[in-house]
Amino acid sequence: MSILVNSETRVVVQGITGREGTFHTRQCVDYGTNVVAGVTPGKGGQDMDGIPVFDTVDQAVQKEGANASLIFVPPPFAGDAILEAAHAGVDVIVCITEGLPTIDMVKVKDTLAGMGTKLVGPNCPGVITPGECKMGIMPGFIHKEGSVGVISRSGTLTYEAVGQLTEMGIGQSTCIGIGGDPVIGSSFLDLLKLFGEDDDTEAVVLIGEIGGSAEEEAAEYIKEHYQKPVVSFIAGQTAPPGKRMGHAGAIIAGGKGTAAEKVAALEEAGVTVTSSPAEIGSSVAGVLGR
Amino acid sequence: MKVHEYQAKELLKQYGIPVPEGGVVAESIGTKVVVKAQIHAGGRGKAGGVKLVDTPEQAAKVADGLLGKSLVTYQTGPEGSVVNQVLVEGALAIASELYLGMVIDRATERVAVMACTEGGVEIETVAAETPEKILKEFADPNMGLMPYQARKLAFGLGLKGKTASAAASFILKLYRLFVDKDCSIAEINPLITTEDGAVIALDAKLNFDDNALYRQEAVTELRDLGEEEPLEIEASKHGLSYIKLDGNVGCMVNGAGLAMATMDIIKLAGGEPANFLDVGGGAKEESVTNAFKIILADKNVKAVLVNIFGGIVRCDIVAQGVINAARTLDLKTPVIVRLEGTNADEGMRLIDESGLKFETAKGLKAAAEKSVAAATAAGGE
């Protein structure tokens, strides 16, 4: 088992005929993802490598039974694309697009509340259940089927963690990059809960970074409710306050959101926190007794 | 993106929000005037960047004293920030000093409107010591801030009658501006009241969401490049995200999270990172060369660590970029290369066969240790 996506997932790609959309759709298909449709308004009736292209997500859901959407449309239109997919009734939306205005996401999040659709991103590498479904831009080959769940705010740092796990022979159930923006779809907390209910996930790796309080909220939940072992690394221990470290969300503002605060909260919740990004894999091996 | 106080006040005026009478000519204002240095950093008052004077002649003298000089505040760092403009405003008789701020609150995912009776001081201090003094209202994303919420804040601040209505109207107009202009922060500190019931923005700070600048042409024109680190501007021209730090180990990394983690492991290995640099998702040979130029423009850099985990970015392309940069820039600084992920083996082969003096490393820890050792050896010469 796994969370969010698996071999049954039927993916529609919004923005499939764009440069990024076409490139990554091919990579996903090569990995074995079941891409059943694409959407580009005005290009309905065409196809991309034999994948039918529709004008609307509704058509993709009606005609091809799509139940998950992968979004590559440019930032001015990405909020609209997320809501289109949600209203078409897909279960999972993964928005890769980087650069959505924050106020747009505030409105989108509010509209999604109560709709039952799970959004991952924006500005994220996506979701992968190794061996079954890759809905994102991560390099598929570094992953390995297994029982460790990975949740991260970053892209390449997720690959680093996954690379270390695979190198040590530790496979992953599902890996999710949740994105580095201030307002995002699924949070650490949402996904920890899903991994908690997933019988095939033995342990969870949580990779955080400076800024915001998502790690502290996760720590609170872990402390009260979590049974499975959690290993964590927080990036930005050496970042100076007031400087935005690439991600719009990664900034220490008003003295809040420091790595030290996050590490303390997680350790108090019983999480194994490593201060070295080179020891994420070995820390997981430690808690699993391997 | 940040703007100057005088620019923020121009925007406030467009929304009908009262600001002090001001401009550049002191004579037209009449009585006492305030001369305010225009730099992006806060803490100007304490640093001597805000002065009250009695006559236009004095104003001219004070302005002369500020212009072209570097002003050091607790937010500028020791080198300070050069004053290129001053704002001259009529001094007002203040009845009370309040605080008004708006941000997008990450926890509630809404625009938070904060008000406090303790104006004119560091709001962080108030938040830390007496958080109960900060009143908060959260705007419904689709309805916007409602008039009753603005009234709650105004009356909550202890304002009465005409002043309370003026404050509520002020708050609603500022919220409109915040949303229309894609602000990330709007802060009026102090927001003052006068004896005759007016509510005026004595100071104004507006920051804008970089992601939304594509649809905010008028705001984008207010950008003052003179306030930004030259290397950071140069980097942004090439699609690179760069932040200068104080150490001597230069870093070139793909991805913001991995770039921060690389800084962290350099510190764990006993060194100090010289910068944060994210070459981005679509790193090409040219962007790698530009990244090297920017890293090496910092004279403190004694070694460079290239740490790439290829996903979309192909390691062989990065390797070729590193080799080209080393040749065209006639590189003397030691370079440590660690490549992982897509086409890593091919990339490492190119590095090894280049005939140039690169050091390679397997794994993050070894890469950091080698870089720190190289920087220490070079720094000791």
Side-chain angles (χ1 to χ4, degrees):
Chain A
M1 256 190 32
S2 54
I3 69 168
L4 297 172
V5 301
N6 55 36
S7 53
E8 314 273 290
T9 304
R10 297 174 66 81
V11 178
V12 52
V13 178
Q14 289 175 259
I16 194 168
T17 56
R19 196 170 53 93
E20 299 272 306
T22 299
F23 176 81
H24 290 293
T25 300
R26 286 182 177 142
Q27 302 273 316
C28 290
V29 169
D30 284 349
Y31 191 76
T33 306
N34 192 13
V35 179
V36 299
V39 169
T40 300
K43 295 201 174 171
Q46 301 183 6
D47 73 289
M48 201 292 284
D49 295 356
I51 300 165
V53 177
F54 298 94
D55 288 318
T56 68
V57 181
D58 250 333
Q59 292 166 347
V61 170
Q62 301 300 329
K63 304 231 170 79
E64 303 295 336
N67 59 10
S69 174
L70 179 59
I71 297 177
F72 289 102
V73 310
F77 319 110
D80 180 52
I82 293 169
L83 293 180
E84 181 182 2
H87 284 287
V90 304
D91 301 324
V92 174
I93 301 170
V94 176
C95 183
I96 305 298
T97 310
E98 176 181 351
L100 263 81
T102 313
I103 201 81
D104 292 6
M105 269 310 293
V106 166
K107 291 178 182 165
V108 166
K109 262 310 275 290
D110 191 60
T111 308
L112 285 182
M115 284 185 73
T117 302
K118 292 186 176 71
L119 170 68
V120 174
N123 189 16
C124 75
V127 182
I128 184 169
T129 292
E132 296 194 35
C133 178
K134 168 171 122 91
M135 250 182 102
I137 61 174
M138 65 289 278
F141 73 93
I142 62 170
H143 299 79
K144 174 183 161 72
E145 290 164 56
S147 62
V148 173
V150 179
I151 320 171
S152 168
R153 267 166 76 177
S154 144
T156 47
L157 182 55
T158 319
Y159 312 162
E160 175 70 44
V162 168
Q164 289 176 23
L165 289 170
T166 299
E167 182 109 325
M168 303 187 76
I170 302 170
Q172 306 92 42
S173 52
T174 301
C175 306
I176 308 112
I178 62 175
D181 283 356
V183 177
I184 52 171
S186 301
S187 64
F188 281 131
L189 190 53
D190 299 329
L191 298 168
L192 273 172
K193 288 178 184 169
L194 294 181
F195 276 129
E197 292 158 7
D198 177 32
D199 291 341
D200 289 344
T201 298
E202 274 183 89
V204 180
V205 177
L206 191 154
I207 300 168
E209 62 189 33
I210 53 163
S213 57
E215 292 81 2
E216 286 87 335
E217 284 155 28
E220 189 118 332
Y221 177 78
I222 291 167
K223 193 176 171 187
E224 300 296 327
H225 306 284
Y226 224 58
Q227 309 297 326
K228 299 181 181 180
V230 180
V231 170
S232 183
F233 169 74
I234 304 294
Q237 298 160 56
T238 51
K243 292 274 188 184
R244 192 169 65 86
M245 291 288 151
H247 287 159
I251 181 164
I252 299 169
K256 301 296 281 180
T258 64
E261 283 179 308
K262 292 171 189 297
V263 169
L266 288 163
E267 282 182 340
E268 205 205 316
V271 173
T272 305
V273 185
T274 169
S275 60
S276 168
E279 286 164 14
I280 300 170
S282 55
S283 300
V284 174
V287 303
L288 292 176
R290 291 190 199 165
Chain B
M1 194 194 101
K2 296 178 179 178
V3 296
H4 288 293
E5 175 193 3
Y6 77 93
Q7 296 169 320
K9 283 179 170 168
E10 285 299 321
L11 283 169
L12 296 184
K13 271 200 255 180
Q14 287 171 24
Y15 279 76
I17 298 171
V19 299
E21 263 187 71
V24 278
V25 186
E27 277 130 313
S28 67
I29 301 164
T31 59
K32 287 193 175 185
V33 296
V34 185
V35 181
K36 306 178 86 176
Q38 299 294 290
I39 57 169
H40 282 178
R44 293 171 300 168
K46 275 185 195 146
V50 178
K51 296 214 167 99
L52 181 69
V53 297
D54 290 316
T55 65
E57 292 72 30
Q58 283 180 348
K61 210 174 150 198
V62 167
D64 262 350
L66 288 169
L67 288 166
K69 305 271 161 52
S70 185
L71 192 64
V72 181
T73 82
Y74 76 99
Q75 283 188 359
T76 59
E79 69 283 1
S81 191
V82 176
V83 180
N84 290 317
Q85 291 118 341
V86 296
L87 174 64
V88 182
E89 289 180 339
L92 295 164
I94 298 169
S96 66
E97 290 191 54
L98 311 168
Y99 171 91
L100 178 66
M102 298 186 188
V103 291
I104 294 178
D105 178 54
R106 295 164 65 151
T108 57
E109 298 176 334
R110 288 169 179 234
V111 176
V113 182
M114 297 168 291
C116 177
T117 52
E118 313 276 307
V121 294
E122 273 293 298
I123 197 67
E124 285 90 355
T125 316
V126 182
E129 289 167 10
T130 47
E132 70 282 357
K133 284 192 178 167
I134 300 177
L135 311 174
K136 285 184 188 169
E137 288 291 325
F138 298 93
D140 182 284
N142 293 303
M143 292 296 285
L145 187 75
M146 299 304 288
Y148 83 87
Q149 295 180 295
R151 289 198 300 273
K152 260 177 90 176
L153 292 169
F155 288 117
L157 289 170
L159 303 177
K160 300 208 164 45
K162 192 177 141 194
T163 314
S165 328
S169 159
F170 187 113
I171 293 167
L172 289 171
K173 285 171 183 164
L174 187 63
Y175 175 78
R176 178 56 41 218
L177 185 159
F178 187 96
V179 174
D180 282 357
K181 300 292 180 193
D182 281 297
C183 291
S184 53
I185 293 173
E187 201 171 53
I188 310 297
N189 189 21
L191 172 74
I192 61 152
T193 64
T194 62
E195 293 300 344
D196 54 0
V199 176
I200 300 167
L202 200 63
D203 196 0
K205 172 179 164 184
L206 297 178
N207 291 2
F208 301 88
D209 179 358
D210 291 336
N211 282 353
L213 292 178
Y214 74 85
R215 63 187 178 196
Q216 298 292 354
E217 211 178 320
V219 169
T220 310
E221 284 171 10
L222 302 177
R223 186 171 173 192
D224 181 358
L225 293 174
E227 283 279 338
E228 297 171 33
E229 170 71 38
L231 287 176
E232 291 173 17
I233 299 170
E234 185 61 24
S236 75
K237 278 188 205 156
H238 300 294
L240 307 166
S241 174
Y242 169 88
I243 293 168
K244 190 179 175 307
L245 302 167
D246 299 331
N248 62 7
V249 182
C251 310
M252 191 182 96
V253 189
N254 65 326
L258 189 60
M260 278 189 277
T262 304
M263 286 158 48
D264 293 344
I265 200 159
I266 285 170
K267 183 104 174 176
L268 282 177
E272 288 288 342
N275 64 276
F276 165 96
L277 191 145
D278 174 7
V279 288
K284 309 230 164 29
E285 284 183 34
E286 196 194 346
S287 42
V288 173
T289 307
N290 288 322
F292 260 104
K293 282 185 192 160
I294 288 160
I295 291 169
L296 295 172
D298 175 358
K299 294 298 162 216
N300 293 332
V301 171
K302 300 287 178 231
V304 179
L305 167 56
V306 177
N307 182 25
I308 302 291
F309 206 115
I312 316 166
V313 173
R314 282 168 44 193
C315 289
D316 54 328
I317 291 185
V318 173
Q320 198 55 57
V322 172
I323 292 164
N324 292 351
R327 292 208 172 112
T328 52
L329 303 175
D330 189 22
L331 207 63
K332 300 281 190 292
T333 315
V335 176
I336 293 82
V337 184
R338 185 258 178 156
L339 303 172
E340 200 66 63
T342 308
N343 294 4
D345 293 343
E346 174 68 9
M348 287 308 237
R349 192 183 58 78
L350 288 171
I351 293 286
D352 288 338
E353 292 173 1
S354 69
L356 294 161
K357 284 210 293 181
F358 294 118
E359 207 170 335
T360 56
K362 180 93 185 134
L364 201 47
K365 188 162 182 273
E369 284 167 355
K370 284 185 177 179
S371 306
V372 173
T376 309
E381 277 169 15

